[in-house]
Amino acid sequence: MAHHFLSDGTPLWYEERGAGRPLVLLQGLQFPGGYFWQHNVDALAADNRVVMLDLRGQGLSGKPMAGHTIAQNAADLAEFLAALDLRDVLLTGVAFGGLVILDYLQHHDVSRLRALCLCEMTPRLMSADGWAHPTFGDFPEAAAAGYADSVRADRAVLDGFLHAAFADLPDPATIAEMKAQMYLTPTATVADLIDDMVRMDFRDMLPSIGLPTLLLYGRKNNPVMPGEVGRWMAGRIPDAELVELSGGGHSPFWEDSAAFDTALNAFSARH
């Protein structure tokens, strides 16, 4: 475990396991990387140099008062990869982490990357005319606009999202442990990032992705991503491979970890 200090002084927590070509993991919103990837890191590190990273404001990284946007996180990621001189990287992101990756592709040097894995994400969270794949199947603009303020008023609003992230709800002790881990990320930071996430729309940039891309989605009782967004994305990213996992919902890395690890390791070996 170590910290890299960004140019503005913010420390980013990271941990490395294994050896080989780099596999950089970006988790979903709020969770510390060491906790989020606990069911995956040993299997993934068997053949890869796994790098887990907490982005600014989250987990065990520094907690500045401002700067909590997708774009800032992507810029921090670019600085981090350059500082560690990571090359030939397979960059993997779940949900929020996937949005950071898409912003990175638009605004930063992709020569350090060999491939991508995007898991359980949609390029546009909010509903829109003709858009069939918003979060929860329907996320009206009015609801999206007020969601972050609801979180600011009562962090418990996010409990419903946590429960919806699992096809089969973990036992109460594990849910309590997860909530404690989530609170390592300040409520204001979570709300600011939600405000930014709901404004994002990456649909038009997908055909410009020039890297091999693995799309991983959980298909068991998944109210967060209930539709066929993975198939929709696979039809627009030029070199995409879709793997749908039957043993988990929005958290296949946790609920269907063996299948998740097998798919990601196999993709890494091929690319």
Side-chain angles (χ1 to χ4, degrees):
M1 180 170 57
H3 285 84
H4 166 70
F5 285 81
L6 294 167
S7 56
D8 70 353
T10 301
L12 295 188
W13 174 93
Y14 70 97
E15 183 174 331
E16 298 189 60
R17 301 269 195 94
R21 294 183 299 170
L23 170 57
V24 176
L25 302 175
L26 302 179
Q27 61 272 20
L29 184 63
Q30 304 181 77
F31 281 106
Y35 186 85
F36 191 91
W37 298 110
Q38 63 179 281
H39 296 301
N40 316 105
V41 64
D42 289 341
L44 296 177
D47 296 306
N48 302 278
R49 176 188 174 188
V50 174
V51 182
M52 299 177 288
L53 170 67
D54 285 350
L55 292 168
R56 75 167 55 220
Q58 301 193 59
L60 300 179
S61 287
K63 310 292 192 295
M65 297 295 290
H68 302 299
T69 64
I70 301 293
Q72 182 62 61
N73 283 180
D76 292 345
L77 174 62
E79 185 178 335
F80 175 82
L81 296 180
L84 271 66
D85 196 25
L86 294 175
R87 301 177 185 274
D88 210 20
V89 173
L90 170 49
L91 189 56
T92 297
V94 176
F96 164 80
L99 295 177
V100 173
I101 289 174
L102 295 184
D103 189 276
Y104 180 97
L105 296 179
Q106 285 188 306
H107 299 110
H108 301 282
D109 179 15
V110 300
S111 65
R112 293 183 177 276
L113 309 182
R114 59 183 160 97
L116 310 171
C117 174
L118 303 174
C119 176
E120 279 297 311
M121 63 158 300
T122 176
R124 178 185 170 95
L125 276 70
M126 284 195 303
S127 300
D129 289 342
W131 176 229
H133 306 295
T135 308
F136 289 100
D138 185 24
F139 194 17
E141 185 172 353
Y147 190 63
D149 283 339
S150 297
V151 172
R152 290 183 180 97
D154 184 3
R155 177 84 174 243
V157 166
L158 291 173
D159 289 356
F161 184 87
L162 176 62
H163 293 178
F166 295 93
D168 299 301
L169 194 65
D171 62 83
T174 300
I175 289 292
E177 180 182 77
M178 288 178 174
K179 290 181 182 179
Q181 292 287 323
M182 290 162 61
Y183 266 90
L184 292 174
T185 302
T187 300
T189 299
V190 176
D192 286 353
L193 287 170
I194 291 172
D195 267 338
D196 202 44
M197 290 168 66
V198 299
R199 288 192 290 263
M200 296 292 103
D201 189 346
F202 291 104
R203 290 177 293 173
D204 289 345
M205 64 82 64
L206 297 180
S208 70
I209 295 176
L211 294 165
T213 302
L214 175 64
L215 301 168
L216 280 174
Y217 286 83
R219 302 308 299 149
K220 179 183 178 183
N221 184 24
N222 187 349
V224 182
M225 298 287 167
E228 301 293 345
V229 65
R231 296 186 183 188
W232 184 90
M233 291 176 65
R236 284 152 181 82
I237 298 173
D239 189 3
E241 173 184 336
L242 173 64
V243 175
E244 295 181 311
L245 303 175
S246 62
H250 188 54
S251 302
F253 54 89
W254 187 281
E255 294 186 288
D256 201 5
S257 58
F260 178 96
D261 299 341
T262 296
L264 187 50
N265 273 329
F267 180 77
S268 178
R270 292 195 303 273
H271 298 283

